[in-house]
Amino acid sequence: MAMSMLATKFHVPAPRRHALARPRLVDPLLSDSREDRKLTLICAPAGFGKTTLLSQWVRRVRVADPGVRVAWLSLDAGDNDPARFLNHLVAGMHGVDAGIGSGAKALLDATQAAAAEPVLVALINDVAQAGAAFIVVLDDYHAVEARPVHDAVAFLLDHSPPQLHLAMASRSDPPLPLSRLRGRDQMTELRAADLRFSAQEAGAFLNECMGLSLSAEHISALEARTEGWAAGLQLAALSLRGHADVPGFIDAFTGSNRFILDYLVEEVLQRQPDHVRSFLMRTAILDRLSGPLCDAVTAQGGSSAVLNHLERANLFVVPLDDRRQWYRYHHLFAEVLRARASHEEPELQKPLHRRASEWYQHHDLLEDALKHALAARDVERAGALLEAVLPAIRRSRHDATLRGWLSALPDHIVRGNPVLSVFYAWLMLTSGDLDAVEERLQDAERGLAEASRDGERTRNLPGGLKAESEEFRALPVTIAVYRAALAQAAGDVTGTAAHARRALELCGPGDHLSRAAAAGFLGLAAWARGDLDTAVPTFAEVAPNLHGAGNIADELASTMVLADMWMARGSLTEARRLLEQALTAADSAGIASGPPTADLHVGISALYCESGAPAAARAHLESGITLGEAASLPENLYRRFVVMARLQYLSGDPGRALELLEEAERRYLRGFFPDVRPIPAMKARIWIGQGALREASDWARARRLSAGDELTYLREFEHLTLARLLIAEQEADPNGSLGGAFDLLERLLQAAQASGRGGSVNEILVLKAKAYQVQGRVGLALEALEQALIRTEAEGHVRLFLDEGAPMIALLHKAAAERICPSFVSHLLHAANTGETVPATPRGTDGMPVQLSERELQVLRLLDSSLSGPEVARQLFVSLNTLRTHTRHIFEKLQVNSRAEAVRRAREHGVL
């Protein structure tokens, strides 16, 4: 079942029958929204007419310029869930212009935890390209308290194109950059002092709109008593209908708005017939009102007629659609009604909420049914409803909403429901509370066992609900997957593999998501053991299964891990092919600015570093950084700092490189993947390269490393670093011995060869060559070097050799003299002299430089923009067919097949 969106959230409130036109406020808003203003803020306490004023302004805007697109969004507490807010914002904008929001919707659908910035970037780009003026109205913004939602709105304000205007009504100042907007004259704001009715407006409202015949003196007195407060004037007018003693009535109330409100609501309620008063009190629990719903809640008929009467009588009823089928009470009026109802009829509140819940459930509005079940304290029914609505919540990724509802249920209800227990465990796992996970999984298993003993495939839940959900049927698989995740986070390799195998055994043929998770954990466990021959083909099953499940962003993110595994096997070529392929797929899927695109750029940058192409590495790193952290997954953010450190080291700044590795260490999130390249060991390698052997020795002692250690793959990177340290100490003290280093390297070599770790084999051979060179055993050194050169020439490894410094450069010169792998050795020595192996100019298949014409360069620069094809053609004053001809020539010369690949290739080679 899909999560439904209420159409009434996007409806501009219909004009109220007795609303007062306020040109003194609307006219300035009209002119300001046409100027360079980003924001209109109407901020005042409840009852000052904020929503009415906004709706009047919107209708005037539409009359003045029918081409203006207006998206209205009425916010509520549910919009504190960032995913829900973004979905509503995108739906609202798409609803008034079908050309807006498709890319943003694709990001929300494809990304497991959609980051706000890429979604907003897609929206902003759509608006910028559409050309038409666009107004987004956020009503009741005070309902939003979540910092991520405020950050999203601030981002929208900061980056909005000139034709986009944001308007909001709020009871308090929102935590947005208002001071900056004021300083730049980019905001129009109206406050309570502006919204107060003047004496003239009060007279027009009381006598013309409300049908009274008050004298100027009485109007002035009422205006003074209420201080121009619209809600107070309206309630006073309702109370005065048929009141004989007008002066006495006016003198009877004074004080704060709340005091006046309570007094006047009492007056209004006393003047209503019993059936209307009862209707108001008993339907106050509802956020929205319709005839059939109110019939069910009050257990009486005729509610549609009562609602029509309330609107005609101007009794604080706001229509929510043009057909006047749905209404709501004015928020302030509803608050007072609810307070009075709870005080006067406390025994009715639970039955009223229960009836509302049953009506909503019958009409498949399960979220509303759940909210009222919770309000009725019918916790067993609420738990059953939460299980029923859970698939839609998870598909729409409203995690904050799910967390809130699970927290609202008593613990015994959650523990007694196996589906709720397992997803409570998942929330604990994602929040890092690992100690609480296993207990919740055991609760789920107990509930599952009880259901199995009953022999029922379908469980009868409270409230007539039946649970045949895919979540319930998949519980054994889900529990096994979460146990594998828990074991992985705890570093338990054996447990990870065992639980993942169990999950895979339980998966059905079409259960793509569970198959992806199980294969992923099996692959990670094999990787942690160092068994790359098993890890690579096993983890390769993750992507197609995620694709089958429709999880495109997660599919692309899995490429990062698979590329790491191929690097461990020694194949830079296959790793880069995978990452570049994923970048192209992200572009095709419309998520080129969302996660994990930034991670893919950073991964390619790291590969170019190892290939000795720092210019291309910087280009991709800059692309990843430009996309921002929102286009990266949290567990991958540390990678950009590792690559930045690598480039700083290669450019001769080891101090800055160490600082960046410190930041990478702070950003590193443990438990997602095996930590096969610990950052502290990376720092030790920099110390060794700089001759800071004391610091490196301190690191080795702290890690309790020795040449005689038992070997495991998770410590292989550290032991290879230790071997480097031992060789460096021999260089510093020729009287020392390298026996321990040679023994360690030989044992590491045998282990790596046995498990398909080609990358480790290559590194060990290079270290053996260096060690022999330091000892002066040139023949053995050249023999080991030749093996490494033969193994790595096709993959283009450069830094593997050059990172070993002067001894390796000297050995490479001797290899050149001996004509060992002459082409590759010449390539390496060229890189050692120039610092770059890839020419700045792209080359064709024949190795000759590609020559782009000046016109083709102009086209290429415009392809590297957000402009569409027709827009590029207009910029160049050429036909679309001519543009296509230029584009085809560029693709042929750069040997690419898409616009994104052309721009990427041009950036790598310095053309852009």
Side-chain angles (χ1 to χ4, degrees):
M1 181 181 297
M3 291 282 281
S4 56
M5 290 190 189
L6 294 169
T8 51
K9 284 186 73 72
F10 311 110
H11 185 78
V12 180
R16 298 168 72 178
R17 288 190 170 97
H18 303 288
L20 175 72
R22 307 191 73 184
R24 74 174 178 87
L25 298 177
V26 173
D27 289 348
L29 291 181
L30 275 174
S31 60
D32 286 349
S33 64
R34 294 178 185 138
E35 296 174 0
D36 250 0
R37 302 288 175 90
K38 289 176 175 281
L39 175 67
T40 292
L41 173 64
I42 301 178
C43 185
F48 271 86
K50 300 182 293 295
T51 299
T52 300
L53 179 61
L54 274 178
S55 64
Q56 288 182 356
W57 168 59
V58 165
R59 292 178 191 281
R60 285 280 303 278
V61 166
R62 286 173 168 170
V63 170
D65 186 353
V68 175
R69 314 288 200 268
V70 180
W72 183 288
L73 180 56
S74 297
L75 301 175
D76 55 41
D79 291 295
N80 281 291
D81 187 318
R84 179 171 295 217
F85 171 79
L86 289 172
N87 272 289
H88 285 152
L89 179 64
V90 171
M93 296 179 73
H94 183 73
V96 296
D97 189 331
I100 305 291
S102 297
K105 181 68 164 59
L107 282 169
L108 288 166
D109 289 342
T111 307
Q112 197 59 242
E117 284 189 18
V119 175
L120 296 172
V121 166
L123 273 181
I124 290 166
N125 288 342
D126 284 351
V127 173
Q129 292 176 19
F134 216 111
I135 295 174
V136 176
V137 180
L138 302 177
D139 194 22
D140 292 332
Y141 193 80
H142 54 266
V144 172
E145 298 175 350
R147 183 74 251 175
V149 177
H150 293 313
D151 290 343
V153 175
F155 184 89
L156 188 61
L157 282 168
D158 286 343
H159 299 86
S160 61
Q163 64 265 44
L164 177 61
H165 186 85
L166 199 65
M168 60 176 60
S170 178
R171 293 183 184 178
S172 57
D173 269 1
L176 300 171
L178 301 183
S179 298
R180 184 169 73 242
L181 292 170
R182 285 191 198 102
R184 296 175 179 174
D185 195 25
Q186 293 179 327
M187 179 173 76
T188 300
E189 52 188 322
L190 295 177
R191 302 282 172 175
D194 303 300
L195 268 62
R196 296 185 193 281
F197 278 36
S198 65
Q200 182 179 359
E201 287 175 325
F205 174 73
L206 292 168
N207 285 344
E208 296 172 20
C209 297
M210 299 300 293
L212 301 176
S213 300
L214 301 180
S215 67
E217 180 185 358
H218 291 154
I219 290 170
S220 178
L222 272 177
E223 189 270 332
R225 281 281 194 273
T226 60
E227 295 183 336
W229 182 39
L233 284 169
Q234 185 175 355
L235 283 164
L238 291 169
S239 300
L240 279 168
R241 288 175 176 171
H243 209 296
D245 184 11
V246 173
F249 171 82
I250 294 173
D251 289 339
F253 70 88
T254 185
S256 67
N257 282 354
R258 188 70 203 195
F259 178 87
I260 294 172
L261 180 70
D262 290 341
Y263 175 83
L264 292 178
V265 168
E266 174 64 23
E267 285 283 317
V268 170
L269 290 177
Q270 283 185 352
R271 294 181 177 277
Q272 304 307 313
D274 288 344
H275 76 282
V276 172
R277 187 176 188 278
S278 174
F279 180 91
L280 291 169
M281 299 277 280
R282 294 178 184 182
T283 57
I285 64 165
L286 301 171
D287 295 327
R288 296 170 296 133
L289 310 160
S290 73
L293 172 58
C294 293
D295 284 347
V297 171
T298 61
Q300 295 177 350
S303 296
S304 293
V306 175
L307 288 170
N308 288 331
H309 162 73
L310 293 176
E311 189 193 1
R312 286 195 304 272
N314 210 16
L315 263 171
F316 289 91
V317 173
V318 180
L320 294 178
D321 56 39
D322 292 327
R323 292 181 295 173
R324 284 170 160 74
Q325 292 182 337
W326 284 94
Y327 299 83
R328 69 167 172 84
Y329 290 125
H330 187 287
H331 298 312
L332 203 57
F333 191 58
E335 288 173 14
V336 177
L337 285 178
R338 287 169 189 157
R340 294 184 67 84
S342 296
H343 177 70
E344 295 181 12
E345 300 177 336
E347 74 286 353
L348 292 181
Q349 299 311 297
K350 287 183 180 179
L352 292 172
H353 279 292
R354 190 173 298 114
R355 290 175 202 154
S357 179
E358 289 168 354
W359 188 91
Y360 277 123
Q361 179 192 334
H362 182 70
H363 289 82
D364 289 328
L365 297 168
L366 297 186
E367 282 191 85
D368 293 290
L370 172 57
K371 285 188 283 190
H372 283 285
L374 287 170
R377 303 291 191 273
D378 190 351
V379 292
E380 290 189 356
R381 194 165 177 282
L385 283 164
L386 180 51
E387 179 179 339
V389 79
L390 188 61
I393 297 174
R394 293 199 67 227
R395 275 194 293 273
S396 54
R397 268 108 44 196
H398 293 165
D399 294 346
T401 300
L402 175 58
R403 190 182 302 275
W405 278 338
L406 281 171
S407 300
L409 288 170
D411 194 52
H412 74 276
I413 295 296
V414 177
R415 289 180 180 275
N417 183 309
V419 174
L420 299 186
S421 290
V422 83
F423 285 106
Y424 194 94
W426 174 72
L427 289 176
M428 296 299 99
L429 187 64
T430 56
S431 67
D433 187 4
L434 303 184
D435 294 337
V437 175
E438 178 56 33
E439 184 181 357
R440 296 293 179 165
L441 293 178
Q442 290 177 7
D443 290 338
E445 284 181 322
R446 279 192 291 272
L448 191 60
E450 290 172 8
S452 299
R453 280 198 301 273
D454 294 340
E456 295 182 357
R457 288 179 57 84
T458 300
R459 295 174 301 138
N460 292 314
L461 298 176
L465 291 163
K466 293 188 180 296
E468 297 178 276
S469 68
E470 58 189 78
E471 276 74 18
F472 179 71
R473 289 195 299 272
L475 271 180
V477 182
T478 307
I479 292 170
V481 166
Y482 288 173
R483 283 218 168 96
L486 183 61
Q488 164 67 33
D492 178 4
V493 177
T494 303
T496 302
H499 293 304
R501 278 193 293 270
R502 173 63 178 157
L504 205 55
E505 291 167 1
L506 294 169
C507 284
D511 192 356
H512 296 296
L513 197 58
S514 295
R515 283 188 172 277
F521 284 118
L522 274 175
L524 292 176
W527 187 19
R529 292 195 306 271
D531 182 4
L532 271 298
D533 286 340
T534 300
V536 170
T538 303
F539 200 87
E541 296 176 17
V542 172
N545 275 294
L546 287 172
H547 189 84
N551 290 37
I552 305 303
D554 288 343
E555 173 195 352
L556 301 179
S558 72
T559 307
M560 293 291 297
V561 181
L562 193 58
D564 284 343
M565 292 180 181
W566 275 105
M567 281 187 69
R569 293 188 85 168
S571 178
L572 301 183
T573 305
E574 180 62 14
R576 190 164 68 209
R577 186 194 68 79
L578 286 168
L579 296 177
E580 289 178 342
Q581 186 180 61
L583 267 183
T584 302
D587 187 55
S588 301
I591 56 173
S593 59
T597 313
D599 300 329
L600 297 171
H601 278 292
V602 171
I604 294 172
S605 176
L607 291 168
Y608 274 120
C609 282
E610 301 316 303
S611 299
R618 288 190 187 92
H620 274 284
L621 179 62
E622 287 169 7
S623 295
I625 292 172
T626 300
L627 283 167
E629 292 190 3
S632 180
L633 295 176
E635 62 268 27
N636 286 331
L637 277 173
Y638 82 97
R639 291 175 182 261
R640 64 180 59 189
F641 294 96
V642 171
V643 176
M644 290 163 66
R646 186 79 167 119
L647 285 168
Q648 287 294 322
Y649 182 72
L650 295 179
S651 64
D653 191 349
R656 178 62 180 149
L658 287 168
E659 291 174 1
L660 288 164
L661 286 177
E662 292 282 356
E663 181 62 24
E665 198 167 10
R666 284 191 288 271
R667 299 272 188 145
Y668 183 76
L669 298 179
R670 300 188 181 281
F672 283 89
F673 314 113
D675 190 8
V676 296
R677 293 174 63 87
I679 295 171
M682 295 182 194
K683 293 192 291 185
R685 292 189 178 201
I686 292 179
W687 288 325
I688 294 167
Q690 295 305 297
L693 302 186
R694 178 177 297 177
E695 288 85 345
S697 296
D698 289 343
W699 162 80
R701 277 193 295 274
R703 295 295 297 152
R704 297 183 178 179
L705 290 167
S706 73
D709 286 340
E710 181 180 349
L711 302 182
T712 65
Y713 178 58
L714 288 178
R715 302 202 75 184
E716 183 178 78
F717 189 78
E718 292 182 319
H719 280 120
L720 286 170
T721 307
L722 175 64
R724 278 184 171 79
L725 174 60
L726 296 174
I727 295 169
E729 288 175 340
Q730 170 72 13
E731 286 183 89
D733 180 10
N735 295 320
S737 170
L738 277 176
F742 279 117
D743 178 65
L744 174 60
L745 287 171
E746 189 58 37
R747 291 194 298 128
L748 287 168
L749 180 61
Q750 291 175 13
Q753 288 173 329
S755 299
R757 299 197 296 273
S760 299
V761 171
N762 298 338
E763 185 175 357
I764 293 164
L765 289 171
V766 169
L767 288 177
K768 287 183 72 174
K770 183 178 180 180
Y772 283 131
Q773 169 76 352
V774 168
Q775 283 189 329
R777 301 161 74 182
V778 177
L780 291 173
L782 286 174
E783 183 181 324
L785 177 64
E786 184 175 12
Q787 292 181 58
L789 290 168
I790 292 170
R791 290 177 55 88
T792 59
E793 181 172 8
E795 295 295 336
H797 287 273
V798 171
R799 298 312 314 180
L800 175 67
F801 299 92
L802 302 191
D803 280 353
E804 302 311 321
M808 182 56 63
I809 302 298
L811 190 60
L812 285 169
H813 279 290
K814 290 175 183 176
E818 296 289 332
R819 303 294 295 166
I820 296 172
C821 300
S823 177
F824 189 30
V825 169
S826 175
H827 178 75
L828 292 172
L829 291 173
H830 172 79
N833 291 329
T834 65
E836 180 71 67
T837 61
V838 178
T841 304
R843 296 178 180 270
T845 54
D846 57 0
M848 296 299 292
V850 170
Q851 297 297 326
L852 296 180
S853 69
E854 185 59 34
R855 193 56 155 174
E856 287 167 348
L857 285 171
Q858 290 176 344
V859 172
L860 187 56
R861 292 185 189 106
L862 289 173
L863 292 179
D864 186 24
S865 72
S866 61
L867 296 178
S868 65
E871 288 168 333
V872 171
R874 285 196 293 272
Q875 287 274 339
L876 295 170
F877 300 101
V878 299
S879 70
L880 193 55
N881 282 336
T882 301
L883 173 66
R884 287 171 178 156
T885 300
H886 286 311
T887 304
R888 186 172 66 253
H889 290 163
I890 293 170
F891 285 6
E892 289 171 353
K893 290 180 177 181
L894 294 178
Q895 303 171 46
V896 298
N897 296 308
S898 72
R899 176 175 176 170
E901 286 180 313
V903 170
R904 200 154 49 240
R905 182 67 59 84
R907 283 189 177 280
E908 289 168 4
H909 296 283
V911 176
L912 287 177

